[in-house]
């Protein structure tokens, strides 16, 4: 696996940061996060799984109607490095087609489940026009429910202008994530950050690899 092809941090001259939420949409937690971002007049990116999109299409449309970005997070959430080429293609293309069918917009960014992929997968994903997106705050490990303060502290240790931040709105109890995000949104706004989508970050850093 080549770390050159996954981007955790974009170059940014202004204080902008991208919150991202993986594994949804989820009928409980996605709504709670949408409330936070609506009240903050801010935007986020949701890396959705195809088989969840199929179950919650209206919620997917709500996310887009509120100005957020939807990214491709595969159809079944596999370890991509363990897939044959055709399985890998299916995971990406089925989810892309589902997103287009549901909201009429082709996703521009992709996040590999478990940050796991190989060069074959990366080449195919990029060939379909995607930027492959990681995150700077993996140590926050919100998916392990390590405590609200842990999620907040480990994220704030790593955040800087141009950072992508990873959280989850799917798979299990995400109440710690929601509370941590509520705090982080308030504190980062107070520090003068703007909270934008990943595609906005890419646009702001156009031509400058990080
Ligand atoms: Zn995931």
């Amino acid at each position: 696996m080549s770390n050159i092809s996954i981007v955790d941090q974009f170059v940014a001259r202004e204080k902008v940061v991208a919150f991202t939420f993986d594994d949804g949409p989820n009928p409980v937690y996605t709504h709670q996060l949408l409330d936070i971002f609506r009240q903050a007049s801010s935007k986020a990116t949701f890396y959705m799984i195809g088989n969840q999109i199929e179950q919650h299409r209206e919620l997917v449309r709500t996310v887009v109607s509120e100005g957020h970005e939807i990214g491709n997070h595969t159809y079944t959430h596999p370890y991509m490095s363990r897939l044959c080429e055709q399985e890998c293609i299916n995971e990406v293309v089925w989810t892309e087609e589902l997103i287009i069918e549901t909201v009429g917009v082709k996703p521009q960014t992709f996040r590999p489940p478990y940050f796991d992929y190989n060069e074959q997968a990366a080449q195919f994903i990029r060939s379909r026009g995607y930027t492959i997106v990681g995150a700077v705050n993996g140590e926050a490990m919100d998916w392990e429910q390590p405590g609200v303060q842990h999620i907040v502290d480990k994220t704030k240790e790593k955040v800087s202008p141009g950072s992508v931040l990873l959280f989850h709105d799917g798979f299990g109890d995400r109440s710690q994530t929601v509370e941590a995000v509520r705090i982080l949104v308030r504190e980062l706004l107070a520090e003068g950050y703007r909270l934008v989508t990943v595609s906005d970050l890419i646009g702001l850093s156009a031509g400058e690899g990080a």
Side-chain angles (χ1 to χ4, degrees):
M1 136 165 188
S2 155
N3 277 314
I4 299 164
S5 49
I6 189 163
V7 187
D8 301 329
Q9 171 81 38
F10 292 89
V11 174
R13 291 197 197 81
E14 38 182 315
K15 290 182 95 171
V16 285
V17 64
F19 280 70
T20 68
F21 300 99
D22 288 14
D23 301 353
N26 178 282
V28 176
Y29 302 109
T30 305
H31 280 295
Q32 295 179 3
L33 293 164
L34 287 175
D35 288 345
I36 292 171
F37 280 81
R38 192 183 311 117
Q39 285 162 18
S41 301
S42 294
K43 302 303 176 210
T45 303
F46 292 80
Y47 286 98
M48 294 184 178
I49 302 172
N51 62 23
Q52 296 299 307
I53 292 172
E54 283 183 329
Q55 295 173 51
H56 307 290
R57 298 244 194 181
E58 197 52 45
L59 180 49
V60 180
R61 286 189 276 268
T62 300
V63 169
V64 168
S65 73
E66 299 198 8
H68 305 293
E69 177 173 1
I70 294 180
N72 188 332
H73 195 44
T74 73
Y75 189 80
T76 65
H77 208 269
Y79 286 91
M80 295 200 84
S81 67
R82 300 179 190 170
L83 303 182
C84 74
E85 187 174 13
Q86 189 58 49
E87 289 170 327
C88 175
I89 290 170
N90 290 346
E91 288 284 341
V92 176
V93 172
W94 288 348
T95 307
E96 179 180 303
E97 289 176 346
L98 203 49
I99 292 169
I100 292 170
E101 183 186 306
T102 306
V103 295
V105 180
K106 181 195 170 294
Q108 301 294 315
T109 66
F110 180 92
R111 173 171 282 142
Y114 317 104
F115 294 156
D116 171 72
Y117 60 96
N118 55 22
E119 199 47 47
Q120 172 188 284
Q123 278 181 15
F124 174 72
I125 293 160
R126 282 195 298 260
S127 78
R128 291 193 71 92
Y130 288 98
T131 301
I132 304 176
V133 178
V136 299
N137 67 330
E139 288 170 35
M141 295 199 298
D142 78 305
W143 63 93
E144 299 275 8
Q145 303 187 57
V148 172
Q149 200 59 47
H150 177 96
I151 299 169
V152 170
D153 291 345
K154 291 295 175 184
T155 299
K156 292 205 77 179
E157 274 174 23
K158 291 293 169 65
V159 67
S160 67
S163 293
V164 180
L165 303 177
L166 169 71
F167 305 95
H168 292 74
D169 59 345
F171 278 143
D173 183 348
R174 295 293 168 228
S175 49
Q176 288 188 7
T177 296
V178 172
E179 286 318 303
V181 167
R182 195 186 308 281
I183 293 166
L184 285 163
V185 164
R186 187 175 62 227
E187 292 188 358
L188 290 172
L189 288 176
E191 289 172 24
Y193 277 94
R194 273 198 305 131
L195 316 182
V196 301
T197 66
V198 172
S199 284
D200 287 340
L201 267 193
I202 293 170
L204 287 164
S205 68
E208 306 175 81

